[in-house]
Amino acid sequence: LLIGVGGLVSLFLLLYVVPRFGRIYEERGSDLPLFSRWLLAWGQAVDAHGALVLGALAVLLAAAAYFLRSSRERIATALWRLPAVGERLKVYQLARFYRTIGMLVRGGMPLVSALQTSAGLLHPVLRGRLAAAGAAIAAGRRLSESMESNGLTTPVAARMLAVGEQGGNIGEMLESIAAFHDEEMARWVDWFTRLFEPLLMAAIGLVIGVIVILMYMPIFELAGNLQ
């Protein structure tokens, strides 16, 4: 919502307000700063070829939307490589994964079959690890050891899995792990939004402020010359 409103305000300034300021400065014929001249050139282009500029903007927006849609897998892979974001994505997927396995095991499905059934919930990077963990479990290794050795647990999840194995309630413990990580993700999302929203508002305000300052800078210089 913030990005949309900020984009609409910026487009209103660039497509409606700037061309009208350009006419004023063009009539005065005063010397303009470099960035103001660029802004004036943009206003003149919009004023003279408004339909062409709008068409070009529409094409750019459509191309950006198509690129984002077609490159979803690559964008997701790039996000996974970021240390902080990738770790949170991993925790989020593991929470879904644990909850699904827990429900299947409590419903009577064998553990290895539940792991194979739930593999589609994981990122391709984690699916290879899951296959190795499933093979180790089928060979007789403990669930907690197999998942931890293949990077499919967090420190808390590994300890809770070990406790569940000792108590014989793996299904309930898997769902408890999922609930714990869901709460952790909720706290992280709340913290992220509290931090990101002010930063985003500051960035939008900076963009709009720069456009307004560039429009009024010639007026300030003209007033200084008159003094």
Side-chain angles (χ1 to χ4, degrees):
L1 180 62
L2 289 174
I3 294 175
V5 172
L8 290 175
V9 172
S10 301
L11 287 177
F12 173 75
L13 291 174
L14 291 173
L15 298 178
Y16 183 81
V17 179
V18 171
R20 280 148 184 79
F21 268 77
R23 296 173 189 172
I24 298 174
Y25 298 148
E26 190 176 16
E27 292 173 359
R28 289 183 178 273
S30 58
D31 295 333
L32 301 176
L34 177 61
F35 292 105
S36 296
R37 288 201 301 270
W38 290 353
L39 201 63
L40 174 61
W42 166 263
Q44 291 173 342
V46 172
D47 200 18
H49 310 285
L52 182 61
V53 171
L54 289 176
L57 287 176
V59 171
L60 287 176
L61 290 175
Y66 175 79
F67 173 78
L68 291 175
R69 181 174 299 180
S70 61
S71 305
R72 187 175 302 174
E73 293 289 338
R74 283 178 289 181
I75 294 174
T77 303
L79 290 176
W80 269 82
R81 293 174 181 171
L82 297 177
V85 178
E87 185 62 27
R88 294 301 169 180
L89 290 175
K90 176 184 174 182
V91 171
Y92 170 71
Q93 291 201 1
L94 288 179
R96 294 192 308 168
F97 179 66
Y98 284 135
R99 175 169 286 107
T100 304
I101 296 174
M103 290 188 296
L104 293 176
V105 170
R106 292 184 65 183
M109 181 177 290
L111 180 58
V112 176
S113 300
L115 292 175
Q116 296 173 351
T117 303
S118 306
L121 297 174
L122 297 177
H123 189 270
V125 174
L126 299 180
R127 291 178 196 168
R129 302 180 187 177
L130 178 61
I137 294 170
R141 292 188 62 185
R142 296 172 59 184
L143 173 64
S144 57
E145 295 177 357
S146 302
M147 300 288 276
E148 186 176 11
S149 62
N150 287 281
L152 293 172
T153 62
T154 62
V156 174
R159 291 194 292 269
M160 293 179 71
L161 280 176
V163 172
E165 287 175 335
Q166 293 176 1
N169 55 345
I170 289 293
E172 292 83 354
M173 191 58 68
L174 286 168
E175 294 187 10
S176 298
I177 294 171
F180 173 82
H181 286 314
D182 281 342
E183 294 177 1
E184 183 183 8
M185 284 297 300
R187 288 193 297 268
W188 185 82
V189 169
D190 181 66
W191 171 84
F192 179 78
T193 53
R194 289 176 185 271
L195 176 65
F196 182 70
E197 287 179 4
L199 293 177
L200 182 59
M201 292 179 66
I204 294 173
L206 180 63
V207 172
I208 296 175
V210 167
I211 295 174
V212 173
I213 289 174
L214 290 178
M215 288 191 302
Y216 280 95
M217 190 178 294
I219 296 178
F220 298 151
E221 291 192 359
L222 180 61
N225 293 333
L226 292 177
Q227 294 176 357

